[in-house]
């Protein structure tokens, strides 16, 4: 019998999707969450607990628990990011080694690259997380802590995900656009309109995460490059709202790329694919929120 997969952050949007993908592949799943809830098999708050609330002997651990943040957040929040994302990863690493876990999959983020020019980042590119702020630094540090596994018999896989979106992310940009479109019949967009990011639907991310155990090494996992204007237009269409672009007399600065990765390795070796179109992803969010 195949040993189970334990997921931290199993009560979150991404964790629930990963668990569902693994179960579809006939894997036994132990879903650990910070608090008891639907779909959570055991309580494990990795920020304070050294182990889950029950004894398990998994073959694979998917470490998806994290305190999430944005680009260039306030320095005041740095301590909490370190407590949860760095300290939590250390607790998971220790526990995995004690239990003789074969593979650990760490969910990281493309935000650790820090800045972009006009090209996607490859796994060989240098990182500059400090440019992106405390959250990015905490994710980079969590990768380094997980790297301690390389001195053990446990295989480490690090997945740097693009900008996640999908139903369940209550504070997401798409959700804010949709709420505005419903409430006002319009989405008013201020310049710059052309800042862009590699949007990765949570379902596409979950499929690749579920397929990544035993892959080993570092992998970029991304989505198509989407501008804020394009996302707002998709949201406006979904709720039959008008899209209004703020007219500025002074030319706005050129659009910036905020998150974009070259993920050809993951597409070739892990079967990563962007199966959910932007239109379908936004429609899913709109349907869930109604």
């Amino acid at each position: 019998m195949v040993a189970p997969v334990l997921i931290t952050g199993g009560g979150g949007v991404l964790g629930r999707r990963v668990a569902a993908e693994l179960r579809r592949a006939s894997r036994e799943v132990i879903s650990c969450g910070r608090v008891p809830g639907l779909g959570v098999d055991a309580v494990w708050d990795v920020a304070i607990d050294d182990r889950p609330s029950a004894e398990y002997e998994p073959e694979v651990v998917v470490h998806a628990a994290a305190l999430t943040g944005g680009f260039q957040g306030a320095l005041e929040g740095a301590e909490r990011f370190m407590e949860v994302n760095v300290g939590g990863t250390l607790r998971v690493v220790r526990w995995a080694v004690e239990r003789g876990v074969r593979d650990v999959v760490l969910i990281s983020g493309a935000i650790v690259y820090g800045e972009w020019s006009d090209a996607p980042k490859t796994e060989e590119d240098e990182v500059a997380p400090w440019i992106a702020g405390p959250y990015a630094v905490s994710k980079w540090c969590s990768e380094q802590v997980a790297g301690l596994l390389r001195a053990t018999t446990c295989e480490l896989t690090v997945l740097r995900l693009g900008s996640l979106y999908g139903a369940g992310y209550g504070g997401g940009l798409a959700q804010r656009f949709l709420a505005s479109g419903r409430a006002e019949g319009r989405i008013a967009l201020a310049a710059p309109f052309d800042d862009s990011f590699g949007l990765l639907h949570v379902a596409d991310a979950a499929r690749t995460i579920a397929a990544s155990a035993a892959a080993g090494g570092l992998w970029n996992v991304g989505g198509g490059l989407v501008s804020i204007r394009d996302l707002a237009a998709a949201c406006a269409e979904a709720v039959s709202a008008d899209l209004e672009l703020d007219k500025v007399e002074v030319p706005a600065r050129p659009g910036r790329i905020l998150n974009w990765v070259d993920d050809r390795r993951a597409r070739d070796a892990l079967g990563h694919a962007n199966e959910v179109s932007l239109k379908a992803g936004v429609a899913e969010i709109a349907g869930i929120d109604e």
Side-chain angles (χ1 to χ4, degrees):
M1 182 178 178
V2 178
V5 178
L6 184 142
I7 302 174
T8 69
V13 177
L14 179 61
R16 293 196 303 271
R17 296 264 192 163
V18 174
E21 288 296 328
L22 287 165
R23 290 182 177 118
R24 270 193 282 273
S26 300
R27 295 297 301 266
E28 181 184 350
V29 175
I30 303 160
S31 181
C32 295
R34 187 170 56 86
V35 296
L38 183 64
V40 172
D41 303 303
V43 174
W44 192 0
D45 184 346
V46 300
I48 58 175
D49 299 325
D50 290 333
R51 57 186 55 83
S53 57
E55 292 293 322
Y56 298 106
E57 300 291 338
E59 182 179 65
V60 177
V61 170
V62 176
H63 181 34
L67 178 63
T68 58
F71 189 78
Q72 294 179 334
L75 186 59
E76 287 75 13
E79 183 174 357
R80 186 58 180 161
F81 283 127
M82 296 299 170
E83 290 172 351
V84 178
N85 297 343
V86 184
T89 298
L90 180 57
R91 291 181 180 90
V92 172
V93 164
R94 285 173 176 162
W95 185 84
V97 173
E98 290 171 0
R99 291 296 181 278
V101 171
R102 188 196 71 192
D103 295 286
V104 170
V105 179
L106 174 69
I107 308 305
S108 186
I111 196 171
V112 302
Y113 290 112
E115 63 179 349
W116 280 259
S117 54
D118 58 353
K121 295 291 187 179
T122 71
E123 291 89 346
E124 289 74 34
D125 282 320
E126 293 184 0
V127 300
W130 50 89
I131 294 173
Y135 169 64
V137 169
S138 75
K139 296 303 286 184
W140 169 241
C141 290
S142 72
E143 289 187 16
Q144 305 316 297
V145 168
L148 295 169
L149 289 168
R150 298 188 180 101
T152 74
T153 59
C154 184
E155 184 78 47
L156 173 63
T157 302
V158 177
L159 303 179
R160 290 179 180 164
L161 305 185
S163 298
L164 287 173
Y165 82 108
Y169 291 112
L173 185 56
Q175 279 85 343
R176 297 202 296 272
F177 284 155
L178 289 167
S180 176
R182 286 197 180 98
E184 304 174 17
R186 66 189 183 98
I187 297 174
L189 198 59
F193 313 124
D194 296 318
D195 283 358
S196 55
F197 30 75
L199 271 186
L200 173 61
H201 192 275
V202 63
D204 293 331
R207 278 189 292 272
T208 301
I209 293 167
S212 67
L218 173 64
W219 304 80
N220 285 336
V221 179
L225 194 62
V226 176
S227 70
I228 292 176
R229 184 204 304 258
D230 290 341
L231 179 59
C235 292
E237 180 182 357
V239 294
S240 300
D242 294 327
L243 177 61
E244 298 180 1
L245 303 181
D246 183 33
K247 294 182 174 61
V248 291
E249 295 182 2
V250 179
R253 63 166 172 77
R256 298 180 302 175
I257 294 175
L258 304 178
N259 191 315
W260 189 23
V261 293
D262 182 335
D263 57 8
R264 286 175 291 182
R265 290 181 58 244
R267 293 177 185 276
D268 293 342
L270 303 180
H272 175 58
N274 300 122
E275 296 181 9
V276 182
S277 68
L278 178 62
K279 182 176 181 178
V282 167
E284 178 197 67
I285 298 170
I288 291 293
D289 288 346
E290 284 178 345

